[in-house]
Amino acid sequence: MSEPVRVCAESELPTGAGAVVADIGGRRVTIARDSSGQLHAFDDTCTHANVSLAEGEIEGDRIECWLHGSQFDMTTGEPKQLPATQPVAVHTLEVDEDGSVYVTLAD
């Protein structure tokens, strides 16, 4: 695993379900808050159609690709709805005591 990278302050993330994209060493990573408020970090690109997942709808712990409707579990990265069949990489996310959000990229 790589070193943790500060991507934003938690206060900069949308309240309720929502997502932002961070560029970490040339890799686009979505930082998303699920419907219960839990934060997740995963690759931003849908494995089916090379589309940004951050633009998709969030329901529960899933994010839906806006183009073809693929859904991914934000905790595991596993596809939960076709047409995607390959998972997205999930990264480690931590929030420190000052409210800074750090992401450590998976290998």
Side-chain angles (χ1 to χ4, degrees):
M1 292 182 92
S2 62
E3 292 294 315
V5 174
R6 184 186 186 281
V7 293
C8 64
E10 186 175 14
S11 62
E12 296 173 55
L13 296 169
T15 56
V20 298
V21 177
D23 183 316
I24 303 175
R27 189 170 185 172
R28 290 176 51 89
V29 175
T30 296
I31 313 302
R33 190 183 303 272
D34 66 23
S35 298
S36 68
Q38 181 74 28
L39 293 175
H40 305 273
F42 48 90
D43 280 355
D44 180 55
T45 306
C46 177
T47 57
H48 168 254
N50 200 27
V51 173
S52 174
L53 290 173
E55 298 173 26
E57 295 291 321
I58 295 172
E59 186 174 321
D61 62 354
R62 294 181 181 187
I63 191 162
E64 181 176 84
C65 178
W66 62 269
L67 188 58
H68 295 116
S70 294
Q71 292 181 2
F72 297 89
D73 182 307
M74 293 188 289
T75 303
T76 65
E78 291 297 317
K80 297 296 183 180
Q81 178 70 39
L82 295 173
T85 59
Q86 298 299 311
V88 292
V90 173
H91 309 292
T92 302
L93 183 144
E94 296 178 37
V95 180
D96 72 8
E97 63 278 352
D98 296 324
S100 290
V101 177
Y102 291 86
V103 172
T104 303
L105 294 177
D107 291 332

